[in-house]
């Protein structure tokens, strides 16, 4: 069976994941920014539900980190695992290749909890060499769209990665997954599918917050109906 991972950023998403029985969640905050490290309270709240794999990303933007940011990442990995995370999700690049030092330190800090390398992988010019590097470092899986674009355009790339992985490391497809794409994604041989399945919610604020104008702010949360459609497509 192909696994299903749901990206979750709030308590509602955790409830949906538990109710519908997804295989695991990727827990994060600020999905509109690509996701950053969530709070410890949210990690602890995830414990009763499906296994939570915590995104550890110290800031939005690119994936080349300063020594201080690497230290924060490693520390957050330790805290996430201590708070009950089943795994962590990280990514780091250095001069256009995998940041081996960052990944090695994260694998060590995770203490046996699974490590996923996120879609920073899709910014690499040589993904097959990167796959070998990550497998050798002890990374459990790679989240990828099969190329720099949306997953719908990356099916051939996903199939090549699955073949190259040869069971040494899992390949998980993500980046614009919709129910209509599931059959084609499964046909590539991927081990799992990752989706955020989110919808926009408008909230009245009455004041300006950050870049949002006063009046109505829009936030994203998990769309339970979309999660159900994705799960149905996987079991069809």
């Amino acid at each position: 069976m192909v696994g299903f991972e749901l990206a979750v950023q709030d308590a509602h998403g955790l409830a949906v994941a538990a109710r519908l029985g997804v295989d695991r969640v990727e827990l994060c905050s600020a999905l509109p920014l690509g996701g950053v490290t969530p709070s410890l309270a949210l990690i602890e709240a995830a414990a009763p539900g499906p296994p939570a794999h915590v995104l550890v990303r110290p800031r939005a933007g690119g994936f080349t980190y300063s020594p201080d940011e690497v230290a924060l990442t490693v520390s957050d990995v330790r805290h996430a695992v201590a708070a009950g995370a089943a795994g962590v999700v990280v990514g780091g690049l250095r001069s256009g290749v995998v940041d081996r030092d960052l990944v090695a330190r994260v694998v060590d800090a995770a203490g046996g909890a699974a490590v996923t390398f996120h879609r920073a992988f899709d910014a690499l010019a040589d993904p097959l060499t990167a796959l070998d590097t990550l497998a050798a470092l002890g990374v459990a899986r790679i989240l990828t769209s099969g190329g720099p674009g949306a997953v719908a355009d990356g099916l051939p790339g996903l199939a090549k990665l699955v073949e190259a992985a040869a069971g040494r490391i899992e390949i998980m497809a993500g980046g614009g997954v919709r129910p209509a794409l599931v059959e084609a994604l499964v046909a590539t041989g991927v081990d799992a599918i990752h989706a955020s399945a989110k919808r926009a919610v408008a909230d009245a604020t009455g004041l300006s917050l950050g870049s949002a104008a006063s009046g109505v702010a829009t936030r994203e949360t998990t769309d339970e109906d979309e999660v159900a459609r994705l799960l149905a497509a996987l079991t069809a």
Side-chain angles (χ1 to χ4, degrees):
M1 286 290 293
V2 175
F4 179 68
E5 178 179 278
L6 179 65
V8 167
Q9 60 182 332
D10 57 21
H12 169 71
L14 289 176
V16 169
R19 194 156 46 238
L20 297 187
V22 304
D23 294 297
R24 63 177 170 264
V25 299
E26 182 197 69
L27 198 61
C28 65
S29 290
L31 266 175
L33 301 178
V36 294
T37 308
S39 72
L40 284 174
L42 189 60
I43 298 170
E44 291 169 349
H53 292 242
V54 174
L55 176 66
V56 179
R57 185 178 177 217
R59 56 162 171 77
F63 307 110
T64 298
Y65 297 114
S66 70
D68 287 344
E69 289 171 330
V70 170
L72 283 173
T73 297
V74 173
S75 182
D76 271 333
V77 166
R78 292 195 183 98
H79 287 306
V81 173
V88 294
V89 182
V90 300
L93 310 180
R94 183 74 55 189
S95 301
V97 299
V98 170
D99 186 338
R100 294 176 62 99
D101 177 66
L102 168 62
V103 174
R105 291 176 63 185
V106 164
V107 169
D108 180 66
V115 175
T116 299
F117 194 91
H118 61 51
R119 286 196 60 214
F121 184 85
D122 293 327
L124 295 165
D126 188 351
L128 296 182
T129 296
L131 184 153
D132 290 339
T133 298
L134 294 169
L137 287 168
V139 170
R141 70 182 57 86
I142 297 167
L143 172 61
T144 174
S145 62
V151 73
D153 302 318
L155 299 176
L158 287 170
K160 288 179 182 177
L161 289 168
V162 169
E163 181 180 8
R168 295 174 296 150
I169 188 170
E170 293 183 16
I171 303 299
M172 179 165 58
V177 171
R178 298 290 182 268
L181 273 174
V182 167
E183 183 177 3
L185 291 171
V186 170
T188 67
V190 295
D191 300 281
I193 290 173
H194 166 103
S196 56
K198 56 187 181 291
R199 62 184 175 89
V201 176
D203 282 337
T205 62
L207 72 163
S208 297
L209 295 170
S211 60
S214 177
V216 177
T218 300
R219 60 181 173 85
E220 293 180 346
T221 192
T222 304
D223 184 335
E224 186 163 357
D225 291 338
E226 180 75 352
V227 177
R229 286 189 288 267
L230 287 161
L231 288 169
L234 269 174
T235 56

